[in-house]
Amino acid sequence: MEMPLHERIAADLRRRIASGELAVGDTVPSESQLCAQWNASRAPVRQALTTLRAEGMIGGGRGKPAVVRRHTLSQPFETFLSFSSWAAGLGHVPGQRTLEIARRPADADIADALQLDEGTPVVQLLRQRLIDGRPTMLERTTFVEPVGRLLFDFDCDSGSLYAYLGEQGVDMTVARHQIDAVAADEHDSELLEVALGAPLLRERRRASGVDGRPVEYSDDRYRPDMVSFSIENSQQAHPALLRDWRAS
């Protein structure tokens, strides 16, 4: 199904901003220009511009031309688990290289995170994640065994494994995140193409079903020159964790 016109207009403007075609401070094409480009009425054009204003990517108004405010592209919490869905939704090409998938006994830290007895079988996955072919994140994920074994029948390089697990009925609707900084070890350095000891953003995540039972624990390490995190909140809504793409 084709995206609605206002979403296609917004996605194209995000792409132009992220690529640097529209730099910070540049004037965004006017409503008239966008109407002509897309052969559209003003309604979908205004809806697209309103969306970008809400995301903080453009500003201006009250008779003044809209201008680019920032290049970062953010993701709402409800799709945070899927790196592939996030990147693709922003007009970038996600990629992954599965380096290891194995069934092994849980060590003490993993057992604590997943509320298992030490030595309980789990399935562990190591993947290099890419955006537009560039190494962006190193993902070390552990699944409880009944969930992880589903991945042995799935090509983990073919797309979003979280979408696949969702199709299999796996509930991962609740997540707890911890974000800190770590120094790149030899493995991180090689796979993320950064210097040994370079700072990395680490997101540790535990995902559970609505019943509260942990399903997945992940240690994800990002290049901070490419991805950042922020918290967005308001009096009307619970805080939302955002993962941002740094155009460079």
Side-chain angles (χ1 to χ4, degrees):
M1 181 181 296
E2 188 175 43
M3 285 194 302
L5 181 56
H6 70 90
E7 292 184 9
R8 285 186 280 138
I9 296 170
D12 183 64
L13 288 171
R14 290 192 196 97
R15 177 194 60 78
R16 295 171 68 182
I17 293 170
S19 69
E21 179 183 341
L22 290 172
V24 172
D26 282 355
T27 301
V28 177
S30 67
E31 289 185 9
S32 297
Q33 290 172 319
L34 291 170
C35 287
Q37 176 187 344
W38 291 91
N39 191 26
S41 66
R42 288 189 180 270
V45 167
R46 286 174 176 169
Q47 191 170 356
L49 294 173
T50 297
T51 297
L52 294 185
R53 289 181 193 278
E55 293 173 355
M57 296 191 72
I58 66 174
R62 297 189 177 184
K64 297 180 180 179
V67 296
V68 177
R69 293 299 193 203
R70 64 184 178 93
H71 279 154
T72 54
L73 302 172
S74 61
Q75 175 202 26
F77 175 79
E78 57 265 25
T79 56
F80 194 94
L81 285 177
S82 176
F83 183 96
S84 298
S85 297
W86 169 63
L90 296 173
H92 295 278
V93 179
Q96 53 273 321
R97 296 186 183 123
T98 300
L99 306 174
E100 180 186 42
I101 181 169
R103 183 178 181 270
R104 54 172 58 100
D107 62 22
D109 290 339
I110 293 297
D112 287 345
L114 293 176
Q115 299 177 9
L116 300 171
D117 292 330
E118 188 173 351
T120 300
V122 293
V123 174
Q124 296 188 312
L125 185 69
L126 175 64
R127 292 198 295 174
Q128 181 194 50
R129 310 307 301 272
L130 306 100
I131 292 181
D132 300 334
R134 300 172 63 191
T136 303
M137 185 259 281
L138 195 59
E139 179 182 69
R140 296 175 173 91
T141 308
T142 303
F143 294 95
V144 295
E145 197 272 342
V147 171
R149 68 186 177 203
L150 297 172
L151 299 176
F152 289 108
D153 297 321
F154 176 68
D155 178 1
C156 295
D157 290 340
S158 65
S160 173
L161 61 85
Y162 293 101
Y164 169 75
L165 291 175
E167 292 168 359
Q168 305 305 305
V170 177
D171 179 10
M172 301 176 69
T173 53
V174 180
R176 180 174 184 270
H177 306 265
Q178 290 181 292
I179 299 171
D180 60 6
V182 295
D185 61 23
E186 290 185 4
H187 213 186
D188 301 332
S189 173
E190 177 184 357
L191 294 173
L192 290 176
E193 300 178 3
V194 297
L196 182 65
L200 299 175
L201 281 172
R202 178 174 64 175
E203 181 231 345
R204 287 176 288 178
R205 179 183 65 253
R206 184 176 69 186
S208 307
V210 292
D211 60 3
R213 295 181 180 179
V215 173
E216 173 237 33
Y217 176 74
S218 193
D219 178 314
D220 299 342
R221 302 184 181 194
Y222 294 83
R223 288 181 49 161
D225 60 327
M226 298 175 68
V227 177
S228 65
F229 295 93
S230 60
I231 299 292
E232 181 175 289
N233 57 23
S234 71
Q235 293 181 338
Q236 290 75 36
H238 293 297
L241 177 64
L242 306 178
R243 173 172 52 191
D244 303 318
W245 165 248
R246 293 183 182 275
S248 58

